[in-house]
Amino acid sequence: MANKTIYEYDVLTQADSHPDKEVNSLPQAVFEWLEKQALRASESQNSAWLRLTQRNGRRVIQVLNYVGVIQMPYDEQIEVLPKIGRDAEDNGEVRKVLIDMLRCLGGFQHILTENAKLCATRMPLLEVFIYELLRSIEHVVKRGLRGDYTIQEGNLFSLRGKLMIAQHLRQNIFRADRFFSQYDEFTTNRPVNRLLHSALKRVLVISSSDENQKLARELAFFFTDVPLSENVNSDFQRVRFDRGMDHYHDALAWTRLLLEDQSPLTGVGKHSAPSLLFPMEKVFESFVAKHLARQLVANAVLKTQVQKQSLVSHRGHDWFRMKPDLLIRKKGKPRLVLDTKWKLIDASKFSSSDKYGLSQADFYQLLAYGKNYLDGEGDLVLIYPRTDTFENPLEDFQFRKADSLTLWVLPFCLKEKTLRYPDKPIFQELFNQGTLQKIA
């Protein structure tokens, strides 16, 4: 399988007679397949993860702000990493940071961070996820596959269970050596085990890692008596966790990611979005929310995706809900409105044209939040990832004709999981002084 590592917003081109000139060139068939995916996403009005554009008069495909794995036909695979690691010498370090961030997404708490980080130094992201799946299934196997009693019926040579009189007379009136019986049989052929077996078979098809292939074959041996799932959706609906089956949870979570039709790993079929692509805006928001919540003072509470206020009222109806990413309350009163932005800004680009790379639309958005959630008086925060070009908070921004609202632009360090903030009363009031990095 051909693997390629790129970053957010990189472009992919079609290989030509001089392929060496294009670092991110793809075979013609693969390029055309990606073009179809981009067109389908735009037609269906789903969240687009690809964009068709041009560079120097040539058709190119740009990967947007999604990270993860694009698994394509023709044995091609693209790993997309966060743009914050573009200048890093080691992709493994970038993967480790990304894995930490993904753990904050709902449904991904089952990533075993230390194991995953170790694998990330030597494996592409897809193989890291596969490794996590295999380790979770290995845990199930070590604890033992759970079986269940199922009702069976059959025309047997000896009576077993209950004799079904009507069927027995109908089928055995001339056969005294048979008994049509209904009986309970203990078997490991249950939905959850069929799904795990199917996931192992899928791994043998998509994994290019010898280590993962070897472990998948070893684990498949324990599922010899368990058939593959004939209907994945139906089996997921029929899964039930009996007493003593807690060790199945992580394995089923990974299996769901791998097999469910909602986001097929191959990216083909009725859904066009690959299953292992994640929007970095949402990943960053979840990451910041998790770690900021741990750093608040005892009587401060962090709320996410608040939807209390609307922009306008019309004929008795509230329109255009305003949903700040984060809202900090203290003693029940809103004290700080925060919005996360996955964008790289440059503190050195102070000019009327550059404006650090900040967006006017984001300032309008925060102004509306401040008017509605803080009654026009208080502090607002835009949080961006910390980089070499944005290490410390910017000086405060004052809204004209709204002098009671102050906006701060602050960096959040992905590795240290901390916010850098100015030495101002609002931050001293809300955050534990020993947990965040204070800038005088």
Side-chain angles (χ1 to χ4, degrees):
M1 179 177 290
N3 298 319
K4 185 184 295 292
T5 297
I6 64 174
Y7 290 88
E8 293 174 272
Y9 295 103
D10 276 355
V11 297
L12 301 163
T13 68
Q14 183 174 320
D16 54 20
S17 57
H18 303 285
D20 292 339
K21 294 182 179 180
E22 297 290 355
V23 177
N24 296 327
S25 62
L26 297 173
Q28 180 179 349
V30 177
F31 185 85
E32 291 175 352
W33 180 86
L34 277 177
E35 277 189 315
K36 292 179 181 177
Q37 306 311 306
L39 290 171
R40 285 176 183 171
S42 61
E43 290 173 356
S44 62
Q45 297 182 341
N46 290 334
S47 296
W49 53 281
L50 292 173
R51 177 167 60 200
L52 298 177
T53 184
Q54 286 190 347
R55 290 287 190 278
N56 299 322
R58 300 179 57 185
R59 292 177 9 244
V60 298
I61 298 171
Q62 186 176 39
V63 179
L64 300 183
N65 60 326
Y66 283 72
V67 297
V69 180
I70 305 174
Q71 186 76 16
M72 300 174 293
Y74 315 106
D75 289 330
E76 291 280 344
Q77 173 188 305
I78 297 176
E79 176 185 45
V80 187
L81 296 180
K83 58 189 175 185
I84 200 165
R86 187 184 299 275
D87 298 326
E89 296 180 0
D90 184 5
N91 287 336
E93 291 299 317
V94 181
R95 294 190 195 104
K96 288 162 65 174
V97 172
L98 177 58
I99 286 168
D100 259 341
M101 297 178 74
L102 288 176
R103 289 196 76 219
C104 301
L105 275 180
F108 267 83
Q109 292 87 350
H110 51 274
I111 296 179
L112 303 177
T113 311
E114 294 308 316
N115 286 342
K117 285 183 177 179
L118 182 63
C119 291
T121 61
R122 54 189 172 84
M123 289 182 176
L125 200 57
L126 175 62
E127 299 297 342
V128 175
F129 290 152
I130 289 175
Y131 177 83
E132 291 287 288
L133 163 69
L134 296 176
R135 288 302 179 190
S136 64
I137 295 179
E138 183 181 42
H139 179 64
V140 170
V141 168
K142 287 180 178 179
R143 293 282 301 272
L145 297 184
R146 288 295 185 265
D148 196 7
Y149 285 99
T150 60
I151 297 176
Q152 304 286 339
E153 292 184 353
N155 211 15
L156 310 178
F157 285 105
S158 60
L159 180 62
R160 183 179 177 185
K162 180 174 64 174
L163 183 66
M164 308 296 289
I165 300 297
Q167 294 91 328
H168 176 71
L169 293 176
R170 187 160 53 246
Q171 296 193 28
N172 300 325
I173 191 169
F174 299 113
R175 299 202 60 176
D177 61 331
R178 293 293 185 99
F179 301 88
F180 197 94
S181 308
Q182 183 183 86
Y183 56 95
D184 291 334
E185 183 176 62
F186 188 79
T187 177
T188 54
N189 180 13
R190 59 187 303 177
V192 66
N193 290 333
R194 292 197 295 269
L195 291 168
L196 298 190
H197 192 190
S198 297
L200 290 172
K201 291 297 183 182
R202 184 79 181 115
V203 165
L204 292 172
V205 174
I206 65 174
S207 176
S208 58
S209 163
D210 292 339
E211 180 181 348
N212 285 341
Q213 286 272 343
K214 179 176 181 292
L215 182 55
R217 285 193 295 270
E218 291 174 354
L219 293 173
F221 173 78
F222 294 93
F223 290 82
T224 303
D225 296 330
V226 179
L228 297 174
S229 177
E230 295 181 357
N231 188 321
V232 169
N233 288 337
S234 175
D235 277 345
F236 273 119
Q237 293 173 5
R238 295 168 59 191
V239 167
R240 74 175 192 276
F241 286 99
D242 300 330
R243 187 175 180 180
M245 289 185 63
D246 290 344
H247 59 294
Y248 269 85
H249 281 288
D250 288 354
L252 187 65
W254 281 113
T255 298
R256 188 181 298 277
L257 180 69
L258 192 70
L259 297 180
E260 269 197 327
D261 285 345
Q262 278 76 0
S263 46
L265 192 66
T266 58
V268 296
K270 61 181 180 178
H271 300 278
S272 59
S275 63
L276 294 181
L277 280 181
F278 311 97
M280 275 307 299
E281 286 282 358
K282 186 63 179 177
V283 173
F284 184 54
E285 176 191 330
S286 300
F287 184 71
V288 172
K290 177 179 178 180
H291 294 291
L292 275 188
R294 295 173 173 175
Q295 297 160 343
L296 296 177
V297 295
N299 57 350
V301 178
L302 184 71
K303 298 289 185 180
T304 60
Q305 289 294 316
V306 182
Q307 302 185 46
K308 183 178 180 181
Q309 304 292 340
S310 59
L311 187 61
V312 297
S313 178
H314 176 67
R315 298 177 63 178
H317 297 277
D318 292 332
W319 283 10
F320 309 125
R321 288 285 180 186
M322 292 187 294
K323 298 183 290 185
D325 293 337
L326 306 169
L327 176 68
I328 296 178
R329 294 177 179 273
K330 187 175 182 182
K331 299 180 179 179
K333 181 181 179 181
R335 296 293 292 120
L336 197 63
V337 176
L338 312 95
D339 232 36
T340 60
K341 302 296 179 183
W342 180 253
K343 183 179 181 181
L344 306 188
I345 64 173
D346 190 338
S348 67
K349 292 185 176 180
F350 169 68
S351 69
S352 58
S353 58
D354 294 324
K355 300 181 180 66
Y356 307 113
L358 298 171
S359 167
Q360 180 176 336
D362 294 339
F363 277 61
Y364 279 129
Q365 184 181 43
L366 267 292
L367 176 60
Y369 291 163
K371 289 286 189 179
N372 286 271
Y373 284 91
L374 301 176
D375 295 326
E377 183 177 351
D379 294 85
L380 310 162
V381 175
L382 280 172
I383 299 177
Y384 294 86
R386 182 189 177 193
T387 64
D388 291 340
T389 60
F390 179 49
E391 295 187 298
N392 297 313
L394 300 181
E395 292 185 21
D396 62 295
F397 294 84
Q398 297 292 332
F399 289 101
R400 292 187 179 276
K401 297 187 179 180
D403 294 337
S404 296
L405 282 175
T406 301
L407 186 143
W408 304 93
V409 176
L410 308 181
F412 192 92
C413 182
L414 302 180
K415 290 185 179 180
E416 298 174 3
K417 305 169 187 175
T418 56
L419 183 73
R420 296 178 73 89
Y421 70 101
D423 190 10
K424 300 296 180 180
I426 183 65
F427 301 105
Q428 296 170 353
E429 173 191 347
L430 297 176
F431 293 103
N432 292 315
Q433 297 304 295
T435 62
L436 298 184
Q437 297 186 22
K438 180 172 61 175
I439 306 299

